[in-house]
Amino acid sequence: MQQTRTLEITELKKKAEQMRQDQTQASAREELERQTTFMVENRDLWCEGRRYFIMTYGCQLNENDSERIAGLLEEMGMVAADDVETADMVVLNTCSIRENAAGRFFGNLGIIKNLKRDRPDLITVACGCLMRQEPHVDRIRKSYYFVDLVFGPADIYRLPELLNRRLCDKRPVYEVSNTKLIVEDLPITRKRKYRALLSIMYGCNNFCTFCIVPQARGRERSRKPAAIFKELQELSDASYSEVMLLGQNVNSYGKDLRKSEDYMSFPDLLRHAASDFELPLIRFMSSHPRDIDEDLLRVMAEYPNIERHLHLPLQSGSDRILKTMNRHYTLEQYLKTAHKARELIDDLAITTDIIVGFPGETEEDFQATLDVMREVGYEQAFMFIYSPRPGTLAAKMDQLDPELVKERFMRMTELQNELSRRAMEAQVGREMLMLCEGLSAQRDDRFAARSSQNYLCNFSLRMSQLPERLRQLAPEQLGAVLEGRFARVKITGAKSFSLEGEMVELIL
Ligand code: SAH
Ligand code: SF4
Ligand code: F3S
């Protein structure tokens, strides 16, 4: 009896949650219709044929947001400008993860201030993570009053409406909200034609004490699997070679959908992405060590079209520091995951993020981090000097001497250079399947490609290896043709962060 009742209650709760979700979906659809009306109006009002230029700071989530912004602007009739000087609208999509990201934004605003003096009609838009912090918005209001539009990362879908207000009123529009609404089916203009970014969730619930992201991007919200699958199908139909699934913590994907019929865990989502869409290469980022489980590692091992690369941010190798960082894992748990990953997945590259000089870090703590680096043998590491972010807990803690931190940072970089070089050297002599990215940035008789492990390789080829029709092309044209194609490459040399190779065969 008791059991039946519990089941009934669970069922009722599920139904209530489903109704709530249905309502949210209905308002998201209404919102899309509303914005579409503004898009049509804006086209005639101002947008048709005008040029936009977007500057993106920060991570791939921001890059993906910029692609949505570009999609919306193009839907209103605008076209991309080659540079900021020829643009009618400039968009600065900001990042606030470290002090220097904020610094670069304000530096560029200074340049735009001068541009605007000669061209008062230029529309300036500031959006992204930095806008979620009142002091920065205040600074814009006071010192950069020429900025026309200000909105936050959650407000992108409202761009048509906000722009319309600015075009009609001629007054600046400031709208930074923390809405949880996810509006699907917005247009998108992807930057690359072979690698697609795909955000599967927004926000973060973790509150690591050093990090501004939860404030900037709000609480975790997962897109529904159906919406993600629809996008994956579109990418597959458009013959994309690589898709990168994005979230601040992809392993907690779906937790907010748990009570609804839409629930799906990240390993299941990844399994479907790998098996149902004929996509050649699937990457994902980032995995929080606290939420990762063996299921994910097993899915990775099972599907060859999932990258042989795991980004597993360590931040610190000291349990004491991990605790003050509020990371919710111990070193033992972290190492267990890293070793299990190497055991289950052949030929895996593990990369990481590490912070040097977090408040309270002693030489002993620092040495513990170096020890972990040696033990895991990271193929690559992104190392950052701790940067206090106003509004986070760690910013209020006692800070270390910057000179001491710089010195530690140098020692850490030296160690990682050595680890990366060794990892690269171990590849020499192998033949690897690589995804071509076009002409190499270093030399115009070479081409760049990446392996499933995300190793960068600059390779040469012989014209005789190419089909007749490609042999007459100039290097840049050939680079453009090769973009997004796979090639088998023999690795002939290694540098600290990249490989050298010769093409064995182009797979068309
Ligand atoms: N969600 C990801 C991290 C995204 S931010 C994760 O938890 O793994 C990318 C990296 O920036 C972080 O992993 C961290 O190493 C670094 N970072 C974040 N806040 C920082 C700060 N205040 N100072 C220095 N580095 C920071
Ligand atoms: Fe920041 Fe931590 Fe969230 Fe990563 S998991 S975005 S470091 S709060
Ligand atoms: Fe920066 Fe926001 Fe990404 S703070 S790192 S752009 S989530």
Side-chain angles (χ1 to χ4, degrees):
M1 183 67 188
Q2 183 63 37
Q3 208 180 2
T4 329
R5 211 172 136 58
T6 319
L7 271 175
E8 270 172 18
I9 292 173
T10 318
E11 216 33 58
L12 280 173
K13 273 192 185 159
K14 221 172 179 174
K15 276 209 179 108
E17 176 60 22
Q18 197 59 45
M19 272 170 67
R20 199 186 63 75
Q21 297 253 350
D22 289 347
Q23 265 170 9
T24 320
Q25 211 164 342
S27 31
R29 266 197 307 270
E30 268 171 37
E31 192 54 42
L32 182 63
E33 277 168 31
R34 234 165 62 77
Q35 297 303 327
T36 308
T37 322
F38 287 117
M39 284 196 245
V40 175
E41 226 175 272
N42 290 350
R43 181 184 274 270
D44 294 339
L45 216 56
W46 185 79
C47 294
E48 182 84 64
R50 304 248 184 197
R51 292 172 188 279
Y52 70 88
F53 188 80
I54 305 181
M55 296 184 196
T56 310
Y57 310 77
C59 63
Q60 281 121 328
L61 286 160
N62 243 21
E63 258 183 57
N64 196 209
D65 283 351
S66 288
E67 294 180 332
R68 289 270 171 220
I69 293 172
L72 285 165
L73 296 176
E74 292 192 11
E75 191 74 13
M76 293 187 263
M78 296 186 74
V79 288
D82 292 332
D83 47 46
V84 66
E85 282 79 22
T86 55
D88 300 295
M89 175 193 277
V90 51
V91 180
L92 297 106
N93 192 7
T94 62
C95 166
S96 56
I97 200 83
R98 284 169 288 275
E99 181 61 39
N100 58 357
R104 274 196 301 134
F105 162 67
F106 283 107
N108 282 334
L109 262 193
I111 298 173
I112 289 164
K113 196 175 191 171
N114 293 337
L115 271 182
K116 187 108 175 176
R117 207 171 293 142
D118 301 333
R119 301 193 14 233
D121 289 347
L122 178 73
I123 290 198
T124 309
V125 181
C127 56
C129 292
L130 211 57
M131 300 305 118
R132 283 291 298 270
Q133 289 167 290
E134 220 16 69
H136 295 303
V137 177
D138 275 347
R139 188 169 162 196
I140 296 176
R141 209 175 261 131
K142 286 195 194 100
S143 312
Y144 304 92
Y145 40 83
F146 60 85
V147 174
D148 299 278
L149 266 184
V150 171
F151 57 87
D155 308 302
I156 290 173
Y157 71 88
R158 290 182 65 202
L159 171 59
E161 176 188 355
L162 304 180
L163 179 61
N164 188 269
R165 227 192 281 164
R166 167 64 186 76
L167 293 173
C168 297
D169 272 7
K170 306 273 177 223
R171 270 182 310 187
V173 176
Y174 283 55
E175 281 275 347
V176 184
S177 83
N178 58 359
T179 173
K180 291 191 168 73
L181 203 64
I182 299 181
V183 178
E184 294 292 356
D185 297 320
L186 293 177
I188 186 162
T189 301
R190 291 200 151 83
K191 200 168 149 195
R192 296 182 206 86
K193 297 294 167 243
Y194 61 97
R195 174 186 298 143
L197 304 175
L198 197 167
S199 303
I200 59 168
M201 59 198 295
Y202 306 102
C204 182
N205 283 359
N206 278 328
F207 291 95
C208 304
T209 53
F210 52 82
C211 185
I212 197 70
V213 170
Q215 285 177 47
R217 297 222 159 217
R219 295 300 81 77
E220 251 166 41
R221 286 148 290 147
S222 304
R223 289 176 69 191
K224 294 192 173 175
I228 296 170
F229 294 155
K230 184 169 173 242
E231 205 173 335
L232 285 171
Q233 190 57 55
E234 286 162 5
L235 294 171
S236 167
D237 293 344
S239 303
Y240 270 86
S241 306
E242 181 184 310
V243 176
M244 184 177 247
L245 306 176
L246 295 173
Q248 285 298 354
N249 173 10
V250 289
N251 300 118
S252 70
Y253 170 80
K255 279 188 180 161
D256 53 324
L257 302 174
R258 212 164 240 170
K259 290 193 207 124
S260 80
E261 286 164 6
D262 293 303
Y263 173 68
M264 187 176 281
S265 70
F266 182 63
D268 282 341
L269 185 85
L270 188 62
R271 182 180 287 119
H272 279 290
S275 62
D276 299 352
F277 301 96
E278 291 181 25
L279 287 161
L281 184 58
I282 295 168
R283 299 193 188 275
F284 61 93
M285 157 115 164
S286 279
S287 279
H288 194 293
R290 147 187 157 162
D291 296 303
I292 192 166
D293 59 21
E294 220 176 288
D295 233 16
L296 175 73
L297 304 178
R298 292 196 184 280
V299 175
M300 287 178 76
E302 190 180 339
Y303 292 93
N305 60 337
I306 299 177
E307 63 175 336
R308 291 290 170 262
H309 166 218
L310 182 64
H311 185 64
L312 199 59
L314 170 70
Q315 312 300 1
S316 167
S318 147
D319 276 337
R320 203 177 60 82
I321 297 291
L322 285 175
K323 208 165 171 131
T324 33
M325 284 178 163
N326 196 31
R327 288 290 287 181
H328 293 284
Y329 51 83
T330 61
L331 185 57
E332 194 187 333
Q333 287 163 335
Y334 181 95
L335 287 174
K336 210 170 138 203
T337 306
H339 289 308
K340 195 82 203 162
R342 290 236 195 257
E343 178 194 319
L344 291 177
I345 308 162
D346 285 342
D347 206 10
L348 181 74
I350 304 184
T351 59
T352 199
D353 292 346
I354 302 178
I355 292 178
V356 186
F358 184 81
E361 182 190 77
T362 61
E363 179 61 26
E364 207 183 352
D365 296 318
F366 176 69
Q367 285 296 338
T369 307
L370 299 185
D371 287 344
V372 181
M373 291 169 71
R374 287 186 203 102
E375 178 166 347
V376 178
Y378 295 112
E379 278 74 6
Q380 216 192 105
F382 300 92
M383 295 156 285
F384 307 103
I385 288 184
Y386 170 69
S387 166
R389 307 314 293 131
T392 60
L393 275 176
K396 297 192 199 91
M397 300 175 188
D398 286 341
Q399 306 296 317
L400 296 189
D401 168 17
E403 286 308 312
L404 174 83
V405 179
K406 248 188 242 162
E407 185 271 330
R408 282 185 190 162
F409 183 75
M410 303 267 281
R411 274 192 281 156
M412 181 176 282
T413 323
E414 225 168 87
L415 170 63
Q416 185 53 46
N417 286 355
E418 174 62 20
L419 294 174
S420 296
R421 196 176 50 78
R422 257 191 261 161
M424 294 298 98
E425 276 169 2
Q427 311 306 318
V428 177
R430 292 183 64 185
E431 220 177 86
M432 300 178 98
L433 187 68
M434 300 233 166
L435 177 61
C436 302
E437 296 189 335
L439 204 59
S440 154
Q442 297 162 350
R443 277 170 50 179
D444 67 0
D445 59 345
R446 297 200 167 215
F447 301 89
R450 260 172 214 281
S451 73
S452 172
Q453 295 80 358
N454 211 24
Y455 299 148
L456 175 66
C457 176
N458 292 301
F459 68 94
S460 58
L461 52 78
R462 280 172 281 118
M463 284 298 157
S464 59
Q465 292 176 305
L466 298 175
E468 283 285 347
R469 65 193 160 82
L470 300 182
R471 292 184 194 166
Q472 308 308 324
L473 297 180
E476 302 90 73
Q477 290 170 312
L478 186 55
V481 173
L482 292 186
E483 261 183 29
R485 295 183 188 218
F486 286 86
R488 279 196 302 122
V489 178
K490 169 115 182 170
I491 309 303
T492 53
K495 295 190 169 172
S496 278
F497 302 104
S498 64
L499 302 167
E500 309 268 296
E502 285 165 8
M503 190 175 84
V504 176
E505 186 192 3
L506 181 63
I507 299 164
L508 289 174

